[in-house]
Amino acid sequence: MTSAQRSPAGTAAHRHRLPAMLGGAGLALLVAGTFLPWLQSGSVLRNSYQTIGIARRLTALGEGVLGAVTAAWPAVGIAAALCVALYVLGARRTGAITTLLLAVFAGTMATLAMVLLPGSESTVRVIAIGPMVTLGGAVLALVGALVLLAWPTY
């Protein structure tokens, strides 16, 4: 079958493949970035989960709305798997909306880490690779989800 003979349904399925792959790659990068170093304390490197755990214990992040937000951080990997499962099971729009929300949440957390954690002059300092990979994955996932939502289904 040539490209001129494709049915509209085949074209629609093809249209959803690229944003889905982009969103999936973004989610994989987003989750991988959470396991990379985010903070250095002396000679110890800490990933995002350890960093948020320490911040919750030592600051006011463990209380109120911020406490709920930081308590949800360990579920990022599960939420990303849920986004992919929703897409695979045929709930494309729901998967895209869930991906969009997760990407905004993770991207915000990564950006806050880059802005709020101490710089290189301190013994406790941010290590940029983790938040940057998480933010890059969040941007890719966000673009994939937005494109998937923007293209109509047939």
Side-chain angles (χ1 to χ4, degrees), residues 1-15 154:
M1 179 183 282
T2 65
S3 61
Q5 297 173 332
R6 283 194 182 137
S7 67
T11 305
H14 178 70
R15 264 193 227 168
Y154 293 94

Side-chain angles (χ1 to χ4, degrees), residues 6-152:
R6 283 194 182 137
S7 67
T11 305
H14 178 70
R15 264 193 227 168
H16 287 287
R17 199 171 300 143
L18 178 63
M21 288 189 313
L22 188 65
L27 287 172
L29 271 175
L30 184 152
V31 171
T34 65
F35 290 101
L36 293 173
W38 281 46
L39 182 74
Q40 182 175 0
S41 174
S43 62
V44 178
L45 296 176
R46 302 185 189 281
N47 65 26
S48 68
Y49 305 105
Q50 296 166 327
T51 301
I52 288 179
I54 290 168
R56 290 188 75 209
R57 283 190 299 275
L58 298 178
T59 67
L61 283 179
E63 303 167 0
V65 175
L66 289 176
V69 169
T70 56
W73 185 252
V76 166
I78 295 168
L82 175 67
C83 294
V84 172
L86 285 168
Y87 182 83
V88 168
L89 293 173
R92 289 187 174 102
R93 294 184 77 72
T94 305
I97 291 169
T98 308
T99 299
L100 185 113
L101 294 172
L102 177 62
V104 169
F105 172 64
T108 301
M109 293 293 280
T111 302
L112 287 174
M114 292 292 294
V115 172
L116 297 178
L117 290 175
S120 62
E121 66 277 352
S122 176
T123 58
V124 176
R125 62 189 173 119
V126 68
I127 302 296
I129 189 71
M132 286 175 58
V133 170
T134 301
L135 182 59
V139 169
L140 282 177
L142 184 67
V143 168
L146 287 174
V147 170
L148 189 64
L149 289 170
W151 282 347

